[in-house]
Amino acid sequence: MLKVHLEGHDKYYGITDVIRLWYDGAAEDKEAQMVVCPAGPDVEIYSILNPDGTSICKAGGKVYEPQKPILEPGREIKRSLYLAMRDIAGRDAAWGCLTGIRPTLVAMEEQSAEDLINKYYVRPDKARLAMETAAEEQRLLDLIDEDSLGIYVGIPFCPSRCSYCSFISEDITKHMDRLTNYEAALEKEIGLVAPRINRRISTLYMGGGTPTVLSDRDFASLIDCIFAKIDLTYCKEITIEAGRPDTLTEYKLGVMREHGINRICINPQTMNSATLAKLNRRHTADDIRYWYGKASSMGFDVINMDLIAGLPHEMPEDFISSVRSLIELDPANITIHTLYKKRRASLTKEVVMDRTDKRIGLDPALQEAYELLYEAGYHPYYMYRQKDTEKGLENTGFAKGDTGCLYNVAMMTDYRDVLSFGAGSSSKRCFKQDGPDSKRRVERCSTIKDALGYIARYGEMADKKSVFFGF
Ligand code: SF4
């Protein structure tokens, strides 16, 4: 069992995060002032924060001391532990000791890729990716007024539950009766809050779940309501997730086009139909091609398509084959996610774990995918990571030309406020602080998660948000 003793500090969280880059299951033992990890090797590490702010780790008679410059204590502790763990585990981690979910925020603080490599031990290819993505994120952020609001509308229902999903979406086949009532409650919440909004709206994003799971009538009613109630005069971008092709109809696409919406997501996750069936997604790769072609011909000129690297039942070459298939379709955006072991997902541990040996190829597969995307004229425009992602790898959105999604960038960087409607959604306010520009203090206001509860209490949620934003 791996044991990390903490001396002179209490950064349990940071220690756990670094261990997780190599081994699952690290847990705090505050009474004993250490973090333990049964999956790790039998080694004891002493993580020491010195009074001068430097940090060293001692293990097996060796001392691990990061090079200068000295960063803030929390980062120093991670740096020294990273050096020890890298030595003990015998391999590095792609993102070095950067464990946070937004590596580009650190990149925005730095001058060059070399800074990320030297200070945080980030691998050169990831350092360059982070710097390039951070620059594009900054460019897109500059297009969004600082005081404006992003709007999110959430539909937490799907036509079936994908086996890897951890969102709060419900399988609609079990809750058909709820959908219309939910949509009606959503309209009422929007109707209560919208007249109070006293700021310009910069972006609108409808996500889920799968918004297009609504019936034709309910979908049209919701879109009409949004356009009637919310002042979208200054809105620069509207995105609707039509993630599952098994929910699309020409009617819904027509409703969106009638309102001038030209940005949608049609997400295959994989272009391997056999995998799609095993993941409980009730559509095929051909369905994706059909609806992508249909949407393109109807004038949607920014279509995003998501893929997941590291899906169960797939080898790295299956993922690369999906990347090639999407490049052939030529959507404006392709987003590459790395599977993370989501706690709520119904994937059994065995399904994930029995592929461990095959996952060795995941990191090179991502690199190959990025090279293919660059060659095809895409560039990275936003990035984030999730806890427990396989090997600490990232999710990256790629775009052609000037088609990167403003809402995604604003959302992931925590640089702009978001007002959210619907069950399980979270509104947030981002406050500038003294110090590096990347630092923001974020306050959040959550909406009740359960759809039935939301239907009964939408009015209360509307009032809560109005108070939160001071409308
Ligand atoms: S479509 Fe998305 S939100 Fe819905 S079940 Fe699948 S992964 Fe979850």
Side-chain angles (χ1 to χ4, degrees):
M1 178 188 300
L2 177 69
K3 294 179 181 172
V4 180
H5 302 270
L6 282 66
E7 292 186 10
H9 69 90
D10 61 355
K11 304 286 186 191
Y12 291 93
Y13 200 67
I15 296 286
T16 309
D17 275 354
V18 174
I19 295 173
R20 194 184 281 129
L21 295 174
W22 287 274
Y23 305 108
D24 288 334
E28 300 172 4
D29 181 348
K30 288 193 175 168
E31 218 167 278
Q33 271 193 285
M34 63 180 178
V35 173
V36 294
C37 181
D42 286 331
V43 178
E44 297 208 24
I45 302 176
Y46 292 83
S47 165
I48 302 162
L49 180 66
N50 297 314
D52 65 356
T54 59
S55 173
I56 58 168
C57 274
K58 293 181 179 174
K62 288 189 187 174
V63 177
Y64 300 89
E65 186 172 7
Q67 70 235 359
K68 303 278 181 293
I70 299 168
L71 308 178
E72 54 99 359
R75 288 182 179 179
E76 280 301 306
I77 287 160
K78 284 186 184 176
R79 291 174 85 204
S80 63
L81 181 61
Y82 178 80
L83 294 179
M85 288 296 302
R86 181 175 68 179
D87 194 25
I88 291 162
R91 66 174 175 82
D92 60 11
W95 285 97
C97 65
L98 281 187
T99 57
I101 60 172
R102 298 183 184 96
T104 49
L105 290 187
V106 180
M108 283 180 190
E109 291 173 20
E110 302 297 348
Q111 301 300 316
S112 65
E114 279 63 42
D115 287 332
L116 294 176
I117 297 165
N118 296 329
K119 293 182 186 174
Y120 303 95
Y121 312 111
V122 177
R123 212 170 60 199
D125 60 307
K126 297 296 184 196
R128 286 191 295 274
L129 177 70
M131 294 306 291
E132 186 179 353
T133 310
E136 183 63 356
E137 283 182 358
Q138 189 59 64
R139 189 187 72 79
L140 294 172
L141 272 174
D142 290 344
L143 301 175
I144 313 170
D145 292 344
E146 185 99 19
D147 295 329
S148 64
L149 262 185
I151 300 275
Y152 178 82
V153 181
I155 315 287
F157 297 94
C158 287
S160 67
R161 191 165 174 82
C162 309
S163 60
Y164 57 84
C165 180
S166 73
F167 298 120
I168 57 159
S169 67
E170 296 182 28
D171 180 342
I172 193 54
T173 52
K174 296 176 192 152
H175 306 290
M176 289 304 285
D177 52 323
R178 282 189 205 163
L179 206 44
T180 295
N181 292 340
Y182 179 82
E183 190 279 326
L186 201 44
E187 282 195 31
K188 286 177 191 157
E189 193 200 2
I190 292 169
L192 287 171
V193 177
R196 305 175 193 165
I197 297 174
N198 52 10
R199 293 162 64 179
R200 288 184 175 185
I201 306 302
S202 52
T203 57
L204 189 144
Y205 193 101
M206 193 187 289
T210 308
T212 41
V213 78
L214 294 172
S215 67
D216 282 354
R217 195 184 60 180
D218 289 346
F219 185 78
S221 179
L222 181 57
I223 299 289
D224 286 345
C225 165
I226 288 169
F227 275 79
K229 303 272 170 60
I230 301 176
D231 181 357
L232 297 171
T233 311
Y234 300 99
C235 190
K236 294 185 155 97
E237 173 191 280
I238 298 176
T239 303
I240 298 194
E241 280 190 19
R244 293 271 296 260
D246 41 343
T247 62
L248 277 172
T249 62
E250 273 187 57
Y251 181 83
K252 291 174 203 172
L253 290 175
V255 167
M256 289 186 260
R257 288 304 297 135
E258 273 166 30
H259 286 85
I261 297 166
N262 76 340
R263 188 174 202 289
I264 57 171
C265 307
I266 300 177
N267 299 325
Q269 313 303 0
T270 170
M271 289 297 276
N272 181 338
S273 295
T275 310
L276 286 167
K278 286 177 189 158
L279 296 175
N280 198 31
R281 287 176 70 92
R282 296 177 188 158
H283 64 85
T284 63
D286 279 344
D287 294 332
I288 290 282
R289 289 189 185 93
Y290 173 82
W291 284 107
Y292 174 80
K294 178 66 74 183
S296 298
S297 68
M298 289 175 74
F300 289 91
D301 46 28
V302 185
I303 299 177
N304 172 69
M305 305 185 91
D306 283 359
L307 286 180
I308 299 178
L311 279 170
H313 319 290
E314 285 208 338
M315 299 287 280
E317 50 269 31
D318 297 316
F319 163 66
I320 291 298
S321 160
S322 292
V323 174
R324 289 184 191 280
S325 296
L326 287 204
I327 287 174
E328 232 167 78
L329 287 178
D330 196 28
N333 294 178
I334 295 178
T335 307
I336 305 288
H337 294 264
T338 309
L339 184 77
Y340 87 106
K341 295 162 266 175
K342 300 171 176 180
R343 265 168 288 173
R344 288 166 55 100
S346 66
L347 286 178
T348 62
K349 195 167 177 155
E350 292 67 40
V351 169
V352 174
M353 299 312 290
D354 69 0
R355 302 181 60 262
T356 302
D357 55 338
K358 295 167 190 167
R359 283 165 180 262
I360 291 166
L362 186 60
D363 188 3
L366 267 191
Q367 289 180 53
E368 187 178 341
Y370 294 169
E371 278 163 26
L372 291 169
L373 288 164
Y374 276 114
E375 271 170 30
Y378 293 88
H379 62 270
Y381 77 93
Y382 92 111
M383 176 198 293
Y384 66 102
R385 296 196 295 169
Q386 288 154 302
K387 285 236 176 299
D388 290 327
T389 303
E390 202 65 39
K391 294 179 188 287
L393 293 168
E394 69 283 350
N395 304 319
T396 310
F398 285 82
K400 275 196 168 175
D402 195 15
T403 61
C405 176
L406 298 176
Y407 176 86
N408 282 343
V409 172
M411 189 64 192
M412 285 306 161
T413 52
D414 280 341
Y415 269 36
R416 297 291 184 270
D417 295 357
V418 176
L419 164 62
S420 297
F421 295 102
S425 64
S426 176
S427 299
K428 67 178 179 181
R429 299 183 68 185
C430 311
F431 298 92
K432 254 188 169 177
Q433 300 193 97
D434 292 339
D437 194 44
S438 58
K439 298 276 184 200
R440 291 288 196 281
R441 179 173 61 80
V442 179
E443 286 183 9
R444 293 179 198 278
C445 172
S446 305
T447 307
I448 187 167
K449 286 200 169 104
D450 163 54
L452 274 183
Y454 173 79
I455 291 166
R457 294 170 56 194
Y458 66 84
E460 193 189 316
M461 298 300 114
D463 290 341
K464 189 176 162 190
K465 272 165 235 178
S466 299
V467 171
F468 179 68
F469 282 102
F471 293 151

